[in-house]
Amino acid sequence: MTTHKNLLGGPDPTYLPENEEAYRLLGEQSQPPVEVAAKHPTFSLAWAMLADDAFEAGRVVESYAYARTGYHRGLDSLRRAGWKGHGPIPWDHRANRGFLRCLAALARAASEINEKDETERCWQFLKDSSAEAYTELKR
């Protein structure tokens, strides 16, 4: 893992802890995200996958709910990892991707239900947290 020194004196990047068991369940055991979320409710990647699947199937409100759940569980995890409410959350750290994907999924679903302020807030939060994630996920 590369740590970048912030020359402007801002907060250091936050790196969420890895959940190898949850990754194993999704990968090697091919368990559906709904089962992984039930076994590991703090694992934001499972919530992001559920949000994406629901959105692609046209179930926007369900997508919003999954994304909001993963987003809030991710915020809790970030705070436990030392995050103080702002600062970089690097996309290149695998464990951060679930939270960042939930944030993008929340913005996307909020847009579909015409929740303009939430949409803008989420996209800005994503951009402020990880420009790389913003570029990758805002399509």
Side-chain angles (χ1 to χ4, degrees):
M1 173 177 2
T2 304
T3 301
H4 302 283
K5 175 87 171 133
N6 185 334
L7 300 177
L8 299 177
D12 288 332
T14 302
Y15 299 97
L16 290 171
E18 295 284 354
N19 184 334
E20 295 301 333
E21 170 68 8
Y23 285 114
R24 186 181 64 71
L25 293 173
L26 283 174
E28 292 172 24
Q29 294 197 7
S30 300
Q31 287 194 6
V34 69
E35 291 180 20
V36 177
K39 290 177 184 171
H40 299 276
T42 63
F43 186 62
S44 290
L45 180 59
W47 295 107
M49 294 169 77
L50 289 167
D52 289 346
D53 290 347
F55 191 85
E56 290 171 14
R59 299 186 319 269
V60 177
V61 172
E62 187 178 325
S63 176
Y64 183 93
Y66 285 135
R68 172 121 355 243
T69 300
Y71 164 79
H72 280 288
R73 298 312 299 259
L75 285 177
D76 293 342
S77 296
L78 283 165
R79 289 182 186 111
R80 280 193 300 277
W83 185 72
K84 304 292 186 212
H86 67 285
I89 305 168
W91 173 252
D92 64 357
H93 180 65
R94 178 176 76 158
N96 290 351
R97 287 186 175 202
F99 169 76
L100 296 167
R101 283 181 56 184
C102 281
L103 188 52
L106 185 56
R108 184 182 60 230
S111 177
E112 288 294 311
I113 61 171
N114 297 314
E115 196 173 356
K116 186 176 187 219
D117 290 344
E118 179 76 348
T119 302
E120 292 172 5
R121 183 190 68 78
C122 289
W123 284 128
Q124 189 61 53
F125 184 10
L126 182 63
K127 189 174 186 179
D128 292 345
S129 299
S130 172
E132 185 179 2
Y134 179 83
T135 299
E136 178 72 23
L137 298 171
K138 188 164 195 274
R139 300 178 208 179

